[in-house]
Amino acid sequence: MIDKYWIIAFFIAWNLVVMIVYGIDKLKAKKGAWRIPEKTLIGLALLMGATGALLGMKFFRHKTKHKLFTIGVPVCFVINVLVIVGIIYLGSKA
């Protein structure tokens, strides 16, 4: 059985990575460089990185005017929360 503290540490680290990716994309946008595809950014949020995506959007002021992100990332957040609740619920049944 995986210790819950490892899961929490992984979740925090993953969301930090996602936040940094949003920051990198913002930096690339300012420089006019190659950008990270929007599908990738949303995908990272969907794959348990919505907290980092929301923090990246707020901290870097990035993608805050795009409906795909202002609606999509909060939806991903709700999905992430439901997955976590499901894991906790199923884990308590074992």
Side-chain angles (χ1 to χ4, degrees):
M1 179 79 184
I2 298 174
D3 187 20
K4 65 182 174 183
Y5 296 108
W6 282 107
I7 295 171
I8 293 168
F10 178 78
F11 180 77
I12 291 169
W14 173 244
N15 278 278
L16 182 61
V17 167
V18 172
M19 182 180 165
I20 290 168
V21 169
Y22 273 68
I24 290 169
D25 191 54
K26 175 66 175 196
L27 183 63
K28 289 178 177 238
K30 284 183 174 182
K31 292 185 175 186
W34 170 84
R35 303 283 303 281
I36 299 168
E38 290 185 345
K39 287 181 182 181
T40 301
L41 294 173
I42 289 292
L44 293 173
L46 188 59
L47 294 172
M48 301 308 292
T51 302
L54 284 169
L55 291 172
M57 288 173 64
K58 296 292 183 190
F59 187 77
F60 300 112
R61 295 186 186 135
H62 190 48
K63 300 288 187 186
T64 56
K65 295 182 181 178
H66 294 78
K67 284 195 180 205
L68 175 64
F69 289 88
T70 59
I71 295 170
V73 172
V75 167
C76 290
F77 180 79
V78 170
I79 293 169
N80 288 187
V81 169
L82 291 173
V83 168
I84 291 169
V85 169
I87 290 170
I88 292 169
Y89 177 76
L90 291 174
S92 68
K93 295 287 185 181

